[in-house]
Amino acid sequence: MMRRDRLFLAATFTALFSADLYFILLPKLRNRGQTSGHSCSCAHNNLTVNLPRQGGLATPQLSNWTSTPLLDGTTSEPTDGGSRLGRLFAHPLYNIQTPVLGPEERLLQAEQLIEYYKKKVSRWERHMRFYSEAAAVSNLTVTEHEVTYDPDASWLKFHLGINRYALYSRDDPAILQLLKDMQSMTVVSADYTQDEKALKGSCDCTQVVKPSGHHLKLALKMRNFGKMMFKPMRQQRGEQTPEDFFYFVDFQRHNAEIAAFHLDRILDFRRVPPVAGRLVNVTGEVLQVTHNEDLRAVFFTSPANNTCFFAKCLYMCKTEYAVCGNPDLLEGSMAAYLPGLSVAPRISIPNPWIRSYTFTGREEWEVNPFYCDTIKQMYPYNSGNRLLNIIDMSIFDFLIGNMDRHHYEIFTKFGDEGFLLHLDNARGFGKHSQDEMSILAPLSQCCMVKRSTLLRLQLLAQSEFRLSEMMRESLEGDPLHPVLMEPHLLALDRRLQKVLKVVQRCIRKMGEAEVITKDFIKSTEKSQTTTDMKKTR
């Protein structure tokens, strides 16, 4: 009898323990295992990334982005002790595959570019023979450097890498090599740029906007026939643009060109040609290799025994506008030239949000809050990516503080769906203490943004990948470090938050489906129809 009771109690306890194990302990252990063993390293970012395929292009998906916390001044160190920038570029948002690139998706074919290259070599050889003969007759000393034909030149690979989606791929080693070449390769020739040559020394001084000749930029040819644009230092890094300056008479800043390239790369636009800083010997690397007599004529030695030069344009032909070496060394930015127009035609198009370049005028977008509704009805902004690319450009310009985006350029080969080139950024980073919200007019008026752009902006607002930290690390490799002063770096974080707030306001007004647009897919015609319906109501 007692044995039967003990067996009954044992069976009862076993049943109770089994129930506890199944209904209580196992679920707790399962939850703990999921949170500890499968946690996402970026879970605190409130960012979820999935990469389904959309029409041949992987499109990132957005989840709970509006809960991004404001920056609190804290910095989280990388858990692996490695490069933050490297971890950023390893993030899924920076590893979205593009479709396989066929001949029509590439700007140039190798055979076409090599043939163009060989013609440049032949033209150079003829030019140097002619110049050497003329110099001998005039008893002039000519500095001649060895020039080499290199089919593996980094600038050549850069040109071959340009495609429908960007100027270069995310992991193209030729870009890093090109930056190194621009920093150190021998300069064999110096000349005016093509746009300044077009002025032929005459300028209309009645115009408010001065022609580009007064910017003192030079075209420098490297010993492997690579061509770079040199913009010398005109303003010290610690100086801000004076408050009374209009944007169209602002200084051109060489460090702004360098920083703009790094920011464009961090944003993953890849629409700015590679730019590097360099100390140039004004005498040995410019004057002594200049074959243009007009350019040679603007060099002089200052009372302080420094070598100086000034612009060709007549209204600037004064020594007080010159730039000088110390006594010969002058720092500046070196930007890689794009392929010549004869092999890769480009067109320049007025920006729909162009500013008034007079002291009193105002453009329609500045007074009409519904201006974007009109733009959405106009070709080529009524379909495709053009308007979204304009908005990308406005976000980029707002971050650098550039108000001088009067035109944009595209490669004609890629038609309406080609990306916009973010060229001539020297008027950025002029004021770190002021955020010009009007630059964001395309975003705030149209209330549209690419999903991939927004995801990357949100990622760069997180403490682990803070934009200022990414820029600081990226710029450390430039020879002219520090390229940006600390207030300009911190201004990037502040402006990024303002961009995200503009998008949040748009979503509250129009809904996420209308504002956040799938890349390469959504037509703006739908947005226009919706806007018309709302206005009718």
Side-chain angles (χ1 to χ4, degrees):
M1 183 70 179
M2 290 197 54
R3 183 179 297 174
R4 195 181 309 142
D5 291 341
R6 286 177 183 172
L7 288 173
F8 178 78
L9 285 173
T12 302
F13 281 123
T14 301
L16 290 173
F17 178 78
S18 299
D20 262 2
L21 180 66
Y22 186 83
F23 291 107
I24 298 176
L25 293 176
L26 280 180
K28 287 184 177 180
L29 290 172
R30 191 180 297 116
N31 289 338
R32 182 174 299 176
Q34 288 176 347
T35 56
S36 62
H38 302 281
S39 61
C40 175
S41 61
C42 55
H44 64 281
N45 293 343
N46 296 316
L47 182 70
T48 302
V49 180
N50 300 309
L51 300 175
R53 302 293 295 181
Q54 294 275 0
L57 187 73
T59 305
Q61 302 298 307
L62 185 67
S63 174
N64 197 26
W65 75 273
T66 54
S67 61
T68 303
L70 294 176
L71 296 174
D72 55 7
T74 60
T75 303
S76 61
E77 294 298 325
T79 55
D80 60 0
S83 162
R84 291 189 188 201
L85 195 61
R87 295 181 64 205
L88 176 73
F89 290 150
H91 193 279
L93 284 174
Y94 290 81
N95 289 275
I96 302 171
Q97 293 183 350
T98 55
V100 177
L101 297 175
E104 289 307 309
E105 280 71 44
R106 297 186 181 276
L107 181 65
L108 295 168
Q109 303 304 307
E111 299 80 5
Q112 176 189 16
L113 190 56
I114 291 296
E115 184 65 26
Y116 173 70
Y117 191 0
K118 290 180 178 178
K119 288 180 180 178
K120 286 171 68 80
V121 173
S122 298
R123 188 162 57 247
W124 170 261
E125 291 174 345
R126 288 195 305 270
H127 172 77
M128 287 308 298
R129 280 197 301 269
F130 172 80
Y131 189 81
S132 297
E133 293 171 0
V137 172
S138 304
N139 292 322
L140 294 176
T141 302
V142 179
T143 301
E144 294 190 32
H145 293 286
E146 181 182 359
V147 183
T148 57
Y149 171 80
D150 182 8
D152 292 321
S154 57
W155 69 266
L156 196 66
K157 292 181 178 179
F158 162 54
H159 288 180
L160 285 174
I162 300 173
N163 59 68
R164 180 181 296 277
Y165 305 104
L167 284 174
Y168 54 90
S169 62
R170 298 176 180 91
D171 55 353
D172 187 354
I175 301 304
L176 295 179
Q177 185 59 49
L178 179 57
L179 293 174
K180 293 179 182 177
D181 290 345
M182 290 192 293
Q183 295 165 11
S184 59
M185 188 169 286
T186 302
V187 178
V188 301
S189 175
D191 202 351
Y192 285 117
T193 58
Q194 286 300 116
D195 53 355
E196 188 163 349
K197 283 183 177 180
L199 295 173
K200 297 180 179 178
S202 63
C203 306
D204 182 3
C205 295
T206 63
Q207 295 179 353
V208 173
V209 186
K210 306 302 183 185
S212 59
H214 79 290
H215 298 334
L216 278 177
K217 53 191 178 186
L218 298 175
L220 304 182
K221 190 186 296 292
M222 304 292 125
R223 65 176 175 83
N224 65 356
F225 289 94
K227 194 174 180 182
M228 314 301 161
M229 181 181 291
F230 176 72
K231 290 188 178 181
M233 180 175 71
R234 299 299 304 272
Q235 185 179 12
Q236 297 296 325
R237 289 165 176 72
E239 297 179 68
Q240 287 200 80
T241 300
E243 291 185 359
D244 291 331
F245 268 39
F246 287 88
Y247 47 86
F248 44 78
V249 293
D250 192 7
F251 293 109
Q252 295 260 325
R253 285 169 287 275
H254 70 299
N255 60 320
E257 291 281 14
I258 301 168
F261 162 70
H262 286 262
L263 177 63
D264 176 83
R265 179 169 170 258
I266 288 171
L267 294 173
D268 202 39
F269 290 153
R270 292 169 285 127
R271 299 163 197 168
V272 175
V275 185
R278 176 165 173 168
L279 278 172
V280 170
N281 187 305
V282 180
T283 302
E285 295 184 294
V286 180
L287 177 58
Q288 292 181 0
V289 297
T290 294
H291 307 139
N292 184 323
E293 292 305 316
D294 289 336
L295 178 56
R296 293 180 68 92
V298 300
F299 280 82
F300 66 95
T301 301
S302 74
N305 206 33
N306 295 324
T307 303
C308 310
F309 66 100
F310 51 85
K312 179 181 179 184
C313 194
L314 294 179
Y315 70 84
M316 294 295 287
C317 289
K318 298 180 181 179
T319 57
E320 57 263 39
Y321 294 118
V323 293
C324 301
N326 185 25
D328 294 297
L329 292 180
L330 175 64
E331 71 173 64
S333 63
M334 299 279 278
Y337 262 74
L338 294 172
L341 296 177
S342 60
V343 292
R346 307 190 305 269
I347 56 173
S348 179
I349 302 171
N351 185 354
W353 279 266
I354 189 172
R355 294 179 180 275
S356 172
Y357 281 76
T358 66
F359 294 119
T360 57
R362 300 188 73 185
E363 296 293 328
E364 183 182 351
W365 66 267
E366 297 179 274
V367 296
N368 178 11
F370 301 105
Y371 175 76
C372 189
D373 292 344
T374 302
I375 295 299
K376 287 178 179 178
Q377 295 175 343
M378 298 169 54
Y379 172 82
Y381 308 106
N382 57 351
S383 64
N385 295 321
R386 183 68 63 84
L387 185 54
L388 290 167
N389 287 336
I390 291 281
I391 292 169
D392 277 352
M393 185 172 64
S394 73
I395 293 172
F396 173 73
D397 282 337
F398 176 71
L399 291 173
I400 69 175
N402 178 26
M403 300 173 66
D404 191 38
R405 188 71 67 185
H406 43 81
H407 285 74
Y408 62 86
E409 293 188 29
I410 61 171
F411 290 110
T412 57
K413 178 176 181 177
F414 301 136
D416 293 340
E417 292 305 299
F419 62 90
L420 312 187
L421 292 163
H422 296 171
L423 304 177
D424 199 6
N425 304 296
R427 284 190 169 135
F429 296 103
K431 295 181 180 180
H432 55 71
S433 58
Q434 179 180 335
D435 303 333
E436 183 55 56
M437 296 302 297
S438 64
I439 302 175
L440 279 180
L443 173 63
S444 60
Q445 292 181 357
C446 299
C447 274
M448 296 171 59
V449 67
K450 291 180 184 176
R451 184 180 296 271
S452 61
T453 297
L454 182 57
L455 277 168
R456 286 191 294 270
L457 292 176
Q458 193 219 358
L459 184 66
L460 292 167
Q462 308 304 314
S463 59
E464 186 177 2
F465 298 111
R466 185 171 298 170
L467 180 55
S468 60
E469 294 290 340
M470 298 300 100
M471 280 289 286
R472 186 179 292 107
E473 181 179 336
S474 186
L475 290 170
E476 282 177 355
D478 191 88
L480 301 185
H481 174 73
V483 175
L484 290 180
M485 303 301 287
E486 191 66 16
H488 284 293
L489 292 170
L490 297 179
L492 289 170
D493 295 330
R494 183 181 68 241
R495 291 167 184 167
L496 176 55
Q497 288 297 328
K498 292 185 177 182
V499 173
L500 294 175
K501 287 181 180 178
V502 170
V503 178
Q504 287 175 341
R505 286 196 295 270
C506 285
I507 287 180
R508 285 195 295 268
K509 180 173 68 173
M510 301 180 63
E512 185 174 304
E514 277 300 309
V515 175
I516 305 173
T517 305
K518 293 180 181 178
D519 295 26
F520 303 97
I521 296 175
K522 184 176 178 180
S523 169
T524 59
E525 290 177 339
K526 180 178 179 182
S527 299
Q528 177 61 35
T529 304
T530 305
T531 304
D532 289 342
M533 291 175 61
K534 290 180 179 178
K535 290 173 68 175
T536 303
R537 291 176 188 171

